[in-house]
Structures are given as C-alpha cells and as structure tokens.
Amino acid sequence: MKNIVILISGRGSNMQAIVEAQLPGARIAAVIANRPDAAGLAWAAERGIATAALDHKAFASREDFDAALAAQIDAFAPDLVVLAGFMRILTPGFTQHYAGRMFNIHPSLLPAFPGLHTHQRALDAGCRLAGATVHFVTAELDHGPIVAQGAVAVADDDTADSLAAKVLRVEHQIYPQAVRWFVEGRLTLAGQ
C-alpha cells in the first residue's frame, strides 16, 4: 500500500478526483493545506481522511514554512506527495527532499506557459490546443519531468474561463491516472 499526502490551497477539485478514483494499492494518508479555510479540508475530513492546516502566513520565511510543512508531511510516511492546487512556490531544499516522489499538475501543455494566467496566455498566443500537464516537481517552477498530458481544442469563442473549465475536466482525468501509474510502479525517471 502506497501512502499519498495531498497538498491543497483551496477547494481541492483535483484532490477530490484522486480520492474518488479509489486507486488500488493507494491510501490517501492526509490532506494538508496552507490555508486554514481551504474548503477541501472539510471535504476530506468528511471522508475520514486525516487533515491538517499549516498557515504559511504564520512563518517568518519560506524556508521556515517549508521545514514545518515537510515535518507535517513526513509524519504520514508518504510514498508520494501530490500538489493539487497548492499555490506556494517551494524552496529547492523542500523539492530535493521529495525528489522523484512529488507530483504537480499545471494547466498548460508544458513547457508552454509555466506560471500563472496560462489560459489567457494560450488565447493571446493563438493556440489551437491547450491542456494540462502532470510532472515531477523540481526546484525550477513548472519544469520537472513530464508524466502525463491531456489536450483540449481551443474554440474561436473560448474565454479564459471557458478554456479553464475544459482544461479542468482533463486535469481530473490525467491526475488520477498519473498517480495510478506511480502506485503501480510504472514510472521511471530518466533525465527530463
């Protein structure tokens, strides 16, 4: 059984998709948020999943927060840490601690459009395809080795909001699949 710890900052719709997938061989050990009011915490607790909130604003530095977060995560002995809408940039020491066992999902077809405002940037660039990417987390933001991608067609009348909704549906498909592959031992890291 592989222990999975999921990090969220808000409603945690990707966390919900992973939990609802009921992946064989996986146990959601905990859901941890950096915001005490994150709606996903209540959803997880209602399903009997351990939850914790660690308010990043209560720490003097990013390093102090990451050290406390790592201690909280490690208490659940995770095989995999899953960032599911966790809106914090992590320090290199933190990412190195979980190297090869931490995923993120990003709402673009990486390496295109790392960072924020991905949907508007895709529209502004005239992209005909957009999508989402699951990747291993490294110290470089949104640049780790790619595990899975899913694409959607960009319609002429798409807005950033309509495109975001289409991409989110893809995220809810590819993220549980990527976690399944990890749990089944089907992933190998070889460079990028």
Side-chain angles (χ1 to χ4, degrees):
M1 188 67 63
K2 301 277 189 195
N3 282 337
I4 298 171
V5 172
I6 302 176
L7 306 184
I8 64 171
S9 290
R11 73 181 189 270
S13 71
N14 274 306
M15 174 266 301
Q16 293 175 22
I18 292 166
V19 170
E20 289 174 343
Q22 298 180 359
L23 303 172
R27 175 181 164 270
I28 308 303
V31 173
I32 302 171
N34 68 309
R35 292 182 40 222
D37 63 345
L41 290 174
W43 188 93
E46 289 168 4
R47 282 144 186 86
I49 300 169
T51 62
L54 200 60
D55 190 348
H56 63 273
K57 296 176 185 172
F59 293 86
S61 71
R62 190 175 298 278
E63 289 77 14
D64 290 344
F65 171 73
D66 281 5
L69 180 60
Q72 184 81 304
I73 293 168
D74 289 347
F76 295 99
D79 295 288
L80 179 66
V81 176
V82 175
L83 307 180
F86 187 70
M87 300 303 289
R88 298 287 301 161
I89 295 175
L90 300 165
T91 59
F94 185 93
T95 60
Q96 183 58 41
H97 181 68
Y98 297 106
R101 57 190 183 112
M102 184 164 51
F103 283 170
N104 185 40
I105 191 158
H106 183 72
S108 79
L109 294 171
L110 292 174
F113 311 118
L116 299 174
H117 312 294
T118 57
H119 308 299
Q120 188 59 56
R121 290 165 58 203
L123 291 171
D124 292 346
C127 293
R128 301 314 302 157
L129 288 175
T133 303
V134 178
H135 64 93
F136 282 97
V137 176
T138 62
E140 189 174 355
L141 181 68
D142 297 330
H143 279 85
I146 293 172
V147 176
Q149 291 183 306
V152 299
V154 178
D156 290 338
D157 62 349
D158 264 327
T159 65
D161 288 341
S162 67
L163 185 55
K166 289 197 285 192
V167 170
L168 188 60
R169 287 191 292 275
V170 169
E171 290 181 31
H172 292 168
Q173 296 168 0
I174 66 171
Y175 217 176
Q177 183 61 58
V179 172
R180 180 187 315 274
W181 290 337
F182 184 92
V183 169
E184 292 173 350
R186 295 177 58 192
L187 300 177
T188 302
L189 271 174
Q192 290 291 312

